[in-house]
Amino acid sequence: MNPLLQHLVEITGHRDHARLEISVISALHQLGNVQEVRALEVVTIGEETHVRPKAWISDGALQSIEDPQHAEIPRLPLMAYPALAACIAEKSAGREERSAGGEHELWLPVWLQEKVVACLEIRNDRPFAQDTLNVIHGIFHVYRNYQSLLDYSERDALTGLFNRKTFDAEFSRPGQSPAVSGTGAQTDEDSPRHWLAVVDIDHFKQVNDRFGHLYGDEVLILMANLLRASFRAQDRIFRFGGEEFVILLRSATLATARQIFNRFRQAVEHHVFPQVGRVTVSVGFVSTHEGSAVEILGHADQALYYAKEHGRNQVCHYDELIGSGRLKKQTQAHDEVELF
């Protein structure tokens, strides 16, 4: 098969953004004969736009922020990327320029609904030949169009978070639910595990009733921004509908998971929501090491309802509630909900 066609088949064969981006930068590196390619994530939180690498090629090897060793790469303000900032300000489809170090740079932002959500950064030590530019732009257009299709099917239209349809696939990804070892290492509080949390906005019906659904939607959008700012690239955030969100937190000890969820809760508590003012959330969380997705969701739900029935604006751990006798095991709370 023609190498270009082979790469296009691979690019369009993926069903998640991380693998899509890795396929795209691999194709650009091989077919475009360029030195460096990076796929950048562009996120707007409040009125601030931040950027960080999502996938790149370093020393000939593919790297991704999905790898735990790169998980702490920080988001930087957009102005740390002046060429990309210029593209956005000009609403440009791309920008080619020479860096201060003499490299030739090509910036290709991905526009979705008049907003940049990603960008390809391509560098070379010599000018881009026209044939090379034709290949690069062809691959980029396939990437942009396919990413748009993925977003349409996987993302919640209001908040841009993953929707409920994508939860099953993300939960079942290899490494998401580590098996319990014979020594019980996965249940050791000091061992990193994966966690699932259900988040509910307290008294959200009152927000809609008092201020109207437009302000209610604004609260949901701002809540999604706070969620993005509070969790890492390898974590996954979903809007399950209404005011309920679900978080898959990967590879953290119990103490770290509790700290992360509380940090998010406090960020919400201290955030000033326009017109509405103060908003709080309740959170129930549980380890994903044992049980089906529905069972684990049910346990997190039970912890959430305990939090809401005992004061709200708090984070509750299911196993801790069970162990202390404050909560009794029940059938999963999500039984009546069509999840998948």
Side-chain angles (χ1 to χ4, degrees):
M1 183 184 293
N2 178 287
L4 176 58
L5 291 177
Q6 188 171 352
H7 277 288
L8 293 179
V9 168
E10 183 180 346
I11 288 169
T12 56
H14 296 302
R15 292 295 179 270
D16 70 75
H17 288 276
R19 292 184 178 89
L20 170 63
E21 283 148 358
I22 288 173
S23 292
V24 167
I25 64 173
S26 176
L28 288 170
H29 188 255
Q30 293 178 31
L31 298 176
N33 193 28
V34 296
Q35 289 184 313
E36 184 178 347
V37 186
R38 294 200 300 176
L40 306 175
E41 169 193 64
V42 182
V43 176
T44 300
I45 300 172
E47 296 184 357
E48 298 287 331
T49 300
H50 296 81
V51 182
R52 71 176 164 193
K54 290 191 72 178
W56 60 95
I57 291 179
S58 177
D59 296 327
L62 288 165
Q63 306 287 340
S64 170
I65 203 167
E66 295 284 315
D67 189 326
Q69 67 176 320
H70 301 307
E72 301 305 322
I73 292 178
R75 293 187 177 100
L76 296 178
L78 175 62
M79 295 314 297
Y81 297 82
L84 176 56
C87 278
I88 294 174
E90 298 165 1
K91 299 188 181 299
S92 169
R95 188 180 186 90
E96 184 178 350
E97 62 179 37
R98 196 164 185 176
S99 70
E103 291 180 303
H104 295 266
E105 300 176 334
L106 183 62
W107 299 82
L108 298 171
V110 178
W111 292 87
L112 289 177
Q113 298 178 350
E114 299 188 353
K115 185 170 70 174
V116 172
V117 297
C119 181
L120 294 181
E121 175 194 4
I122 304 168
R123 294 173 180 263
N124 216 5
D125 61 357
R126 59 184 181 273
F128 295 95
Q130 188 58 52
D131 287 348
T132 297
L133 286 173
N134 291 340
V135 170
I136 289 172
H137 283 287
I139 293 173
F140 171 72
H141 289 150
V142 171
Y143 164 62
R144 182 194 60 194
N145 293 344
Y146 195 64
Q147 186 180 64
S148 178
L149 288 173
L150 285 180
D151 278 345
Y152 182 78
S153 64
E154 294 180 352
R155 302 277 179 175
D156 172 60
L158 179 66
T159 64
L161 299 176
F162 286 116
N163 59 30
R164 200 164 69 183
K165 290 191 302 183
T166 63
F167 173 79
D168 194 25
E170 284 290 336
F171 187 89
S172 302
R173 282 180 61 185
Q176 173 55 44
S177 302
V180 180
S181 67
T183 61
Q186 291 294 344
T187 59
D188 186 337
E189 289 190 4
D190 294 328
S191 297
R193 283 175 280 166
H194 303 321
W195 305 88
L196 183 146
V198 179
V199 176
D200 192 85
I201 301 175
D202 297 326
H203 301 299
F204 185 69
K205 184 177 184 299
Q206 294 180 15
V207 172
N208 280 329
D209 291 346
R210 183 178 176 188
F211 300 100
H213 287 278
L214 285 178
Y215 280 104
D217 286 351
E218 182 69 13
V219 168
L220 293 170
I221 292 168
L222 293 173
M223 190 67 65
N225 288 340
L226 290 169
L227 282 160
R228 290 189 188 95
S230 300
F231 295 92
R232 304 163 299 177
Q234 72 266 35
D235 302 325
R236 291 292 180 267
I237 308 165
F238 308 83
R239 183 185 176 206
F240 263 42
E243 68 272 29
E244 186 175 77
F245 302 86
V246 170
I247 302 157
L248 289 176
L249 180 73
R250 292 193 171 122
S251 192
T253 64
L254 172 58
T256 300
R258 193 193 306 274
Q259 180 183 31
I260 291 171
F261 292 134
N262 264 307
R263 183 180 64 197
F264 162 67
R265 180 191 62 78
Q266 291 166 358
V268 173
E269 184 180 16
H270 296 143
H271 187 81
V272 179
F273 291 81
Q275 185 70 24
V276 175
R278 184 173 180 265
V279 172
T280 63
V281 293
S282 299
V283 182
F285 76 102
V286 67
S287 168
T288 67
H289 80 275
E290 187 175 6
S292 68
V294 172
E295 288 170 333
I296 291 167
L297 273 167
H299 292 163
D301 245 355
Q302 287 176 249
L304 168 68
Y305 290 132
Y306 182 92
K308 294 184 79 67
E309 291 169 359
H310 292 79
R312 294 183 170 83
N313 190 24
Q314 59 183 304
V315 174
C316 290
H317 177 214
Y318 173 79
D319 290 320
E320 184 179 90
L321 295 174
I322 294 293
S324 66
R326 287 175 287 170
L327 195 64
K328 297 190 180 196
K329 289 190 177 183
Q330 302 172 6
T331 57
Q332 51 267 24
H334 270 89
D335 272 354
E336 71 279 7
V337 180
E338 292 183 11
L339 290 174
F340 317 119

